[in-house]
Amino acid sequence: MATQLGVYPRKPSAMAELFGTEKTLVGAVHLPPLPGSPSYRGQSVAELCRFAVEETQAYVGNGFDTVIVENHWDLPFLKPGEHGYEVAATMGVITAAVVAELGTKVGVSVLSNAGQCSVAAAWAAGAGWVRVNQWANAYVANEGIIEGQAASTTRYRHTIGADPVKVFADVHVKHGAHAIVADRTLAEQTEDAEFFDADVLIATGSRTGHPTSVAEVVGIRDHTQLPVIIGSGIDPGNVGPLLAECDGAIVASAAKENSRWWGRVDPEKVRAVSRAAGR
C-alpha cells in the first residue's frame, strides 16, 4: 500500500472493518431477471431469494469469505436514476436473505452504476457495502454517457442515515471508454476516486470475466492509501500473483459451471480458486 498522505484524509480500512481477514475472496451472485426487466418471467421473490442463498452457500462453503449480490440479468442495463421502485425493493429483499446467512459483510451492486439504488437496497437489507462502477469523472459505456455518482450517492446515503455503508469504486471501469477525452492517467483517476471519498478501489479488466493485469493493480495501488481489490478475470492460474499485489478479489466467471456469468456456481471450481489463493 502506498505511504503518501493521499488526496483525502486517511480513514480506517473498510476491508478490515467489514471482513477482518487478509486477501478477501468475494463471490458474485448474479441474480436471474428481476421484476421490471425484459427477461423477467414471473419468478416469485421467494424463489429469487432461494437462488441467491444457494449461490451464496456454494461460495462460502468452499473457501470464499462473502458475496456481492448483483442484478446482472437485468439486461440491457438502465442508467443511474432510471431504476424503478421494484428494483430497490426486490434487491433489498433478496439481499436481506443473504445477509441472514452471512451478516453485514455482504455487498450490493445495482447495474449499471446505480449508486443511490444500491445504497437503498443495502441499507434496507443490512448489507455493509456497495459497488459503484463510475464514482468520479465520466465515461462512454454500453448505456451511453455515464457520469460519476459520488456527489449524489454520498448525499443520498447521508440523508437516509446509511453512512455506515461503504463504497467500493472502480478505477478504469470495464465496459467503457475510460475517460471521454482520454486525458486522465490511471494515477489521476485513482486519486480522483479517493478524493471523492470512496472506501475501497477496484481494478478490472476490459469486460466481465476478462483478466485484470498486474500492472493495472499495481498502478492503482501505488497511487492511493485506500485498500485495492480486483473486480474481474480472477481464476486459479492468476489468483496467487494478483492477490499478492492487493487486498482481495471479486470472482464470478471462473467459479461458474460453464465459465460464463450466466452459469450456476460450481462448488468444485470455487474450491479450485480457494486452493490457488492459499485457503
Side-chain angles (χ1 to χ4, degrees), residues 3 18-19 47 49 63 67 82 118 123 127 137 144 146 170 172-173 185 198 210 217 224 231-232 240 254:
T3 58
L18 286 164
F19 310 119
E47 187 175 350
C49 289
V67 298
E82 297 179 349
S118 296
W123 188 239
N137 302 313
I146 302 296
D170 289 61
H172 259 190
V173 61
T185 66
H210 283 206
V217 177
T224 185
S232 72

Side-chain angles (χ1 to χ4, degrees), residues 133-197:
N133 302 119
Q134 190 69 13
W135 189 240
N137 302 313
Y139 75 120
V140 180
N142 303 141
E143 299 81 26
I145 296 176
I146 302 296
E147 297 184 20
Q149 295 296 296
S152 59
T153 300
T154 52
R155 282 165 175 78
Y156 176 75
R157 179 179 62 178
H158 185 68
T159 296
I160 67 170
D163 293 304
V165 175
K166 306 299 184 184
V167 172
F168 288 41
D170 289 61
V171 178
H172 259 190
V173 61
K174 58 191 175 184
H175 295 288
H178 292 149
I180 289 176
V181 293
D183 66 344
R184 306 294 287 171
T185 66
L186 178 63
E188 289 173 323
Q189 290 190 59
T190 299
E191 292 173 351
D192 291 343
E194 180 184 322
F195 182 57
F196 272 26
D197 199 16

Side-chain angles (χ1 to χ4, degrees), residues 49-73:
C49 289
R50 285 193 293 271
F51 173 94
V53 170
E54 288 173 1
E55 297 283 279
T56 296
Q57 291 170 339
Y59 280 120
V60 299
N62 292 283
F64 277 40
D65 300 292
T66 189
V67 298
I68 181 171
V69 180
E70 300 184 356
N71 63 326
H72 210 294
W73 253 115

